[in-house]
Amino acid sequence: MRKATIAVLTAATLVVGGAYYGLADALDLAPGPLSAAEPSYAVQPFPTPSPVEAPGPQVAGLAADAPTPSAAVLSGYAGTLAGDSLIPGATTGVSIIDVATGTELVDQQASTPLTPASSNKVLTAWASLSALGGNHRMETSAVLSGGTVTLVGGGDVLLAADAGDPSAVVGHAGLGDLARAAAAELTAQGVTSVGVTLDDTLFTGPTWNSGWESGNEAWVAQIQPIMVDVTAHSNTGAYPADPAMEAAQTFSQALSAAGITVTGEVTRAAAPAGATRLASVQSAPLADVLSVSLKASDNTMTEVEGRVLAAATGREASFTGAAQAVREQLQTDGFDVTGLTLIDSCGLARGDKVPARLLAQIMARAAGADGGTVGRDLLAALPVGALDGTLGDRYVGTSAAGTVRAKTGSLEQTVSLTGTIVTADGRLLAYSVIIDGFPEGGMWSARTAMDNDLIVPLSGCGCQG
């Protein structure tokens, strides 16, 4: 599935040149890149976007000798955005990098640490792919000690309640399958009655980030290492109070249905060191999982990915440990993390601070000759303008349709966009733009300014240097 997705999206890039919470996160198409806004703010009227001509036939695809756009012209776009009256009081950071040469063409406060919103997910995705590889899978297992079966969570939060679907990403592994396999092994051992416990100790520390504002409970679950398909709750505005225990109870019921008598209630306990493995199931590959989380901007999945990274690299699998793991992997990969402050993995925390340049450099590395499978997996997981994910209904009918690939980001007073774009001349550029600190209620205006002043002109640029 991942290979097919990569092939389709890569081909598309080459061919074309590279209600809920504010109507379900405004243009970002919830689930949840936004933090919860207070209902009392004064909503600004939605500005009328400037009409833009649809892309013409001049976009013929990437070419090694495609002309580099004028840095002066591109900087002019960024300057226009920074001074736009639609974003009064905001700080705008823009970095645009020519992928072929690595040259930064635009530095509009690119080194200034700003709140990145969900562009923060790019950092987690790169670090996870780089450290673990796109083929990494999360394992859920059942073990036996004495008369107790323990369900051990390993970071899969897309589990099917019953049978898994090996052709799918969501629901790839099933708790019902795990229970039936465990029941068969128990029967073979002559065991007919057991108690059931849940081991969710892979993750440590708080399950809720103190940097998240009240109200975000609608857009991110308690962070635990096992859940039944967390995406099923993404557009409902409500997550289970204890997703891990819900998964354990689902497993217990399936074990009972498979002919094993389950005594008592499901409780929490770490699996004993000498426990015997009964059965296990594995998630889809990490690259496919990231494609789901990045395209939908799923906060819970990204936080889990950060902790899985931390656990796999020997750090404490907590919010703090995940932030350290991401930062250290970026440093290992040669990125300059000056000014980087990470409170979480998904970008819900306003205290996250990231320079636009760092985000653009990650995109340039991913899209460049040395991006390797890490870069290809990351790019394939990003939404594409007017095609899918949180960009599915954005840039329709403009020159940016199909040529923009990006991670969106939106908080109450921050919008961002981080990805790659192909100019009308066929030049591949990496970029990140962050607009931070506009008045409450100004998100729609800020996003309109970003698109009209920078992104659409950039995609239609035939502005040779």
Side-chain angles (χ1 to χ4, degrees), residues 172-193:
H172 184 88
L175 286 170
D177 290 335
L178 178 62
R180 285 184 286 273
E185 183 61 28
L186 288 169
T187 300
Q189 296 182 25
V191 179
T192 60
S193 178

Side-chain angles (χ1 to χ4, degrees), residues 162-242:
D162 190 8
D165 181 353
S167 68
V169 178
V170 177
H172 184 88
L175 286 170
D177 290 335
L178 178 62
R180 285 184 286 273
E185 183 61 28
L186 288 169
T187 300
Q189 296 182 25
V191 179
T192 60
S193 178
V194 297
V196 174
T197 60
L198 164 66
D199 182 348
D200 58 356
T201 60
L202 176 64
F203 294 174
T204 61
T207 59
W208 184 260
N209 196 308
S210 61
W212 295 340
E213 296 175 316
S214 176
N216 278 310
E217 293 86 351
W219 309 112
V220 61
Q222 301 294 316
I223 308 306
Q224 299 170 319
I226 180 171
M227 303 182 195
V228 176
D229 182 13
V230 70
T231 68
H233 306 286
S234 296
N235 294 314
T236 67
Y239 289 90
D242 190 344

Side-chain angles (χ1 to χ4, degrees), residues 377-400:
D377 286 341
L378 177 56
L379 292 177
L382 295 176
V384 177
L387 178 63
D388 63 5
T390 55
L391 289 180
D393 65 354
R394 195 164 164 181
Y395 305 122
V396 175
T398 76
S399 59

Side-chain angles (χ1 to χ4, degrees), residues 22 29 113 115 121 149 213 283 334 352 424:
L29 299 178
T115 299
K121 292 178 172 70
V149 172
E213 296 175 316
S283 72
D352 291 325

Side-chain angles (χ1 to χ4, degrees), residues 45 89 370:
D370 59 349

Side-chain angles (χ1 to χ4, degrees), residues 249-339:
Q249 291 168 344
T250 299
F251 170 79
S252 178
Q253 292 164 6
L255 193 63
S256 178
I260 302 299
T261 300
V262 177
T263 60
E265 298 295 323
V266 179
T267 58
R268 277 184 162 88
T276 301
R277 177 180 293 244
L278 295 171
S280 65
V281 292
Q282 292 187 326
S283 72
L286 176 62
D288 290 342
V289 172
L290 281 169
S291 185
V292 172
S293 62
L294 287 176
K295 286 188 183 295
S297 199
D298 192 288
N299 297 310
T300 307
M301 290 180 66
T302 306
E303 289 298 328
V304 169
E305 290 153 10
R307 292 202 187 192
V308 166
L309 169 64
T313 53
R315 298 169 182 83
E316 178 185 81
S318 62
F319 288 113
T320 300
Q324 291 173 341
V326 170
R327 183 187 187 92
E328 291 173 14
Q329 187 60 47
L330 293 174
Q331 287 179 300
T332 297
D333 291 341
F335 294 107
D336 182 359
V337 296
T338 301

Side-chain angles (χ1 to χ4, degrees), residues 21-22 25-26 32-36 216 219 299 348 410-412 443 447:
Y21 196 90
D25 185 31
L34 288 171
S35 62
N216 278 310
W219 309 112
N299 297 310
L348 271 179
S410 302
L411 288 170
E412 189 176 281
M443 185 192 65
R447 198 172 293 167

